Amino acid sequence: MTLFDQIRRDQDRSPATGLRGLLRWLRHRLPTGLYARSLLIILLPMLILQTVVAFVFMERHWQLVTERLSEAVTRDIAAVIELLEHYPGEEDFANIVGVAASRLNLMVSLEPGTELPSPRPRPFFSILDQILSDEIAEQIRRPFWIDTVGTSRLVEIRIVLDDQTLRIFAPRNSAYASNTHIFLVWMVSTALVLIVISILFLRGQIRPILALANAAESFGKGQRPPEGFSPRGADEVRRAGLAFILMRERIERQMEQRTAMLAGVSHDLRTILTRFRLQLALAGDGPEIDSLNQDIDDMQSMLEGYLDFAKGEVEEDVGKLDLEELFERIAGDFALHDRSITWKLDGDPLVYVRPNAFTRLITNLASNARRYAGRLEIDARHTAKWLVIIFDDDGPGIPKESRDDVFKPFYRLDEARNLDASGTGLGLAIARDIARSHGGNVTLEDSPLGGLRAVIRVPV
Ligand SMILES: Nc1ncnc2c1ncn2[C@@H]1O[C@H](COP(=O)(O)OP(=O)(O)OP(=O)(O)O)[C@@H](O)[C@H]1O
Ligand SMILES: [Mg+2]
C-alpha cells in the first residue's frame, strides 16, 4: 500500500452521517483520476442542459407545430367536404378534386358505401395520430378513420358522408412537424464536437500535472528525474513544478553537504588513529598496550563503516542490477564460510536500482545471517510494481522490543549476548537508509525457521 492509499483510507474512516455520508458514497462511485473528473465536470452540465432543452422542445414546440399543421389540414378537408355538399354535380366534383389536388395538396376520391375499416392500432410514439384525430373530431364531427402509419409519406383519412365515404390522402409532412429530429441531430453532433474539443484541451492541461507527479514519485524512489522535466502548463501547475525543482535541489544540496562533512570528519579521525597506532608501536609491549591496540582496531573499523555509510549516500545513478548474479555471489561466500543457503527468485532478475547501494543493502542483510545464523533462505519476488526480498535465518533472532533499536547506527545486541562478533552495528542502519532512499523500507519479523526474518520492500 502506498502512502497515498493510506492517507485516503484514513480519511475514509471518519463516521458517515447525512451529507458527509452521501458525499463519501459519491466519492467512492465517481472516477478518481483528474482527467475523468474534469471531463465529468464539463460533460454533466452539458448533458443536463441538453436533456432539459430537448424535453421542453419536444413537449412544447413539437406538439404546438403539429397541432397547427393538423388543424390546417383538417380545415382544408372540412372546406372540401362543404364544397362537395354545396355543389353535388359531376362536373363540380371533378373541379373540386382538381383544386384540392393542385392547391391543397390533397388527393380526394369518393367511394360508395359507409363502412369504415376497423380502427388501426395506435402507433406507440406518434403524436400525429392523436392530434389529427382530435382535430377531425372537433372540426368535422363525422365518423372517420385515419391511418398515419400505412403509407409512409402519406396520411390516409376516410370520412363518412351521407351515403358515401370520402377518401383523402394528405402528405404526412403537411400535418406533422416531421423534421424535428434535425434539431436533435444538430444538438447531439455539436455536443460531440464539444466533447472532442474538451478532451483535447484537457489532455493538454493534465499532461503537465502527470509529469510533475511522475517527477516527484521518482525523486521519492531516489531515482533521477525523468528526462527533460520542466514546469509546463497552467500558471498554478508551473508554480508547483518550479517549487518542486527548487525543493529537490535544496534537499540534494543538504545531502551532499552532510555527506561531505561526515566523510571529512571520518577521514581526519582516521589520520589521528594511524598516528596513535604508530606511537603505540614505538611504546613497546605489554597487556595495556595490547588492549589499547584492540580499542584502536575497533575504532578503526567503526570509522571505516562510517565512511562507507557516508559514501553510500553520494548520488549514484540508477542502473541495472542482476539479482541472480548477486545471489550466486552471496551463495559462494556462504559456501566459503561453511554456511548453508538457498535462494529463489520469482520474476525478472534485472532490477532498476542504484546498483552499488542495492548490492550493499542485500549483502548487509545476508552477512548478518551468515554471522548470526547457520542457514539462510532468500525468497525474492519481482512484480510489475514491487521488489520484495525476504531473508529467513535460523539464528537467535532479534526480540521484538529491540527491532527498532538495531536500526540505529552503532547499536549492537552482541555485547549483551557476549558474542565475539566484530561488527560495528552499522549494517542495518545502512540497509534501511538505502531501502528508504529507493522509496521502500526494511522491516524485521519472526522467521518460520526460528530466527530472524528481514524483508526488503521497494517500489521498482
Ligand atoms: N540475522 C540476525 N540474527 C540475530 N541478530 C541479528 C541479526 N542481524 C542483526 N542482528 C543483531 O542486530 C545488531 C545490529 O546489526 P547490524 O547489521 O546493524 O550490525 P552488525 O552486524 O553488528 O555490524 P555490521 O553489520 O556493521 O558489521 C547486531 O549486532 C546483531 O546483534
Ligand atoms: Mg551486520
Side-chain angles (χ1 to χ4, degrees):
M1 191 179 0
T2 62
L3 183 65
F4 179 64
D5 293 332
Q6 179 78 46
I7 293 172
R8 175 176 292 186
R9 224 180 50 179
D10 289 349
Q11 278 177 349
D12 289 349
R13 250 182 231 142
S14 51
T17 42
L19 185 65
R20 212 191 292 164
L22 179 73
L23 284 180
R24 189 196 311 169
W25 182 87
L26 260 181
R27 194 169 57 215
H28 277 290
R29 260 92 199 149
L30 289 177
T32 53
L34 180 59
Y35 190 33
R37 282 189 175 185
S38 334
L39 214 56
L40 257 187
I41 292 175
I42 294 177
L43 291 191
L44 217 60
M46 195 161 81
L47 252 162
I48 294 175
L49 179 76
Q50 294 210 336
T51 319
V52 170
V53 167
F55 184 74
V56 171
F57 178 81
M58 290 296 177
E59 185 68 7
R60 293 285 161 77
H61 179 81
W62 194 21
Q63 175 107 13
L64 198 73
V65 172
T66 304
E67 257 170 35
R68 294 278 182 275
L69 288 174
S70 292
E71 195 187 327
V73 169
T74 313
R75 214 181 291 130
D76 289 348
I77 296 173
V80 169
I81 293 175
E82 235 165 77
L83 283 174
L84 286 177
E85 277 171 348
H86 280 90
Y87 305 97
E90 282 289 319
E91 202 175 317
D92 294 331
F93 177 75
N95 282 335
I96 293 170
V97 168
V99 170
S102 63
R103 295 288 167 201
L104 305 178
N105 222 353
L106 298 173
M107 282 197 291
V108 181
S109 61
L110 271 177
E111 281 176 14
T114 56
E115 280 285 295
L116 285 179
S118 54
R120 277 191 158 264
R122 281 269 161 91
F124 176 66
F125 184 70
S126 168
I127 58 171
L128 173 61
D129 204 280
Q130 180 67 46
I131 293 175
L132 198 57
S133 299
D134 289 352
E135 286 296 331
I136 295 174
E138 195 181 310
Q139 291 192 40
I140 300 180
R141 294 169 202 277
R142 286 171 194 267
F144 67 94
W145 176 91
I146 63 174
D147 176 8
T148 55
V149 193
T151 2
S152 65
R153 294 173 145 269
L154 294 174
V155 178
E156 184 181 352
I157 304 161
R158 296 186 196 189
I159 295 168
V160 176
L161 302 181
D162 298 335
D163 53 352
Q164 284 170 312
T165 305
L166 186 66
R167 200 168 171 197
I168 303 150
F169 288 95
R172 172 185 283 268
N173 56 12
S174 65
Y176 173 67
S178 61
N179 55 358
T180 15
H181 65 277
I182 300 257
F183 172 77
L184 292 181
V185 170
W186 270 101
M187 207 164 75
V188 171
S189 47
T190 42
L192 285 180
V193 171
L194 274 181
I195 291 174
V196 170
I197 292 177
S198 50
I199 286 180
L200 290 181
F201 268 104
L202 272 183
R203 278 166 66 132
Q205 293 304 305
I206 284 170
R207 214 174 289 143
I209 301 180
L210 285 182
L212 176 59
N214 285 340
E217 215 165 67
S218 59
F219 181 60
K221 288 184 196 169
Q223 296 168 355
R224 295 244 131 228
E227 276 301 306
F229 171 72
S230 62
R232 248 185 301 219
D235 279 350
E236 291 82 352
V237 182
R238 207 179 284 244
R239 238 171 61 201
L242 214 62
F244 165 70
I245 289 182
L246 290 179
M247 182 188 78
R248 193 182 64 202
E249 281 170 4
R250 206 165 47 236
I251 292 177
E252 279 172 356
R253 222 171 24 240
Q254 256 171 20
M255 249 152 58
E256 265 165 36
Q257 261 173 15
R258 203 185 62 167
T259 311
M261 199 185 77
L262 284 179
V265 168
S266 305
H267 186 266
D268 290 351
L269 286 179
R270 207 155 55 159
T271 320
I272 296 175
L273 275 185
T274 316
R275 219 156 49 217
F276 263 17
R277 200 193 295 281
L278 278 176
Q279 281 165 0
L280 277 181
L282 293 178
D285 282 334
E288 294 91 6
I289 304 280
D290 279 352
S291 101
L292 274 177
N293 262 324
Q294 182 59 47
D295 280 351
I296 290 178
D297 280 347
D298 287 353
M299 281 174 84
Q300 178 109 30
S301 69
M302 270 162 109
L303 269 181
E304 228 106 88
Y306 217 48
L307 211 55
D308 281 348
F309 185 33
K311 260 194 235 143
E313 289 210 349
V314 176
E315 217 29 66
E316 181 191 357
D317 271 348
V318 174
K320 262 189 283 189
L321 173 69
D322 188 344
L323 287 179
E324 229 160 45
E325 203 183 291
L326 178 60
F327 290 156
E328 286 292 354
R329 214 161 62 217
I330 292 173
D333 186 41
F334 267 62
L336 268 182
H337 287 82
D338 247 354
R339 298 278 195 276
S340 92
I341 180 171
T342 53
W343 60 269
K344 66 174 190 279
L345 173 70
D346 218 22
D348 191 355
L350 288 185
V351 285
Y352 287 85
V353 288
R354 283 192 253 121
N356 288 334
F358 210 78
T359 304
R360 193 175 173 76
L361 159 61
I362 292 178
T363 44
N364 276 3
L365 294 181
S367 73
N368 278 352
R370 197 193 66 206
R371 189 181 288 163
Y372 305 111
R375 187 151 68 94
L376 173 63
E377 284 180 11
I378 303 178
D379 181 2
R381 250 165 283 156
H382 185 192
T383 59
K385 292 207 161 157
W386 289 91
L387 171 65
V388 180
I389 310 180
I390 301 173
F391 297 79
D392 280 315
D393 67 40
D394 63 348
I398 297 178
K400 276 203 177 60
E401 59 277 8
S402 306
R403 284 183 193 160
D404 281 334
D405 291 332
V406 288
F407 283 109
K408 293 176 185 155
F410 304 114
Y411 187 94
R412 309 186 58 220
L413 291 174
D414 309 311
E415 276 101 50
R417 283 179 183 154
N418 278 328
L419 269 179
D420 185 26
S422 58
T424 52
L426 275 174
L428 286 176
I430 294 175
R432 176 165 269 183
D433 206 58
I434 293 172
R436 286 195 171 157
S437 76
H438 281 84
N441 203 359
V442 177
T443 50
L444 301 179
E445 293 161 27
D446 286 325
S447 164
L449 296 184
L452 183 72
R453 161 175 281 190
V455 185
I456 303 176
R457 240 184 233 102
V458 286
V460 284

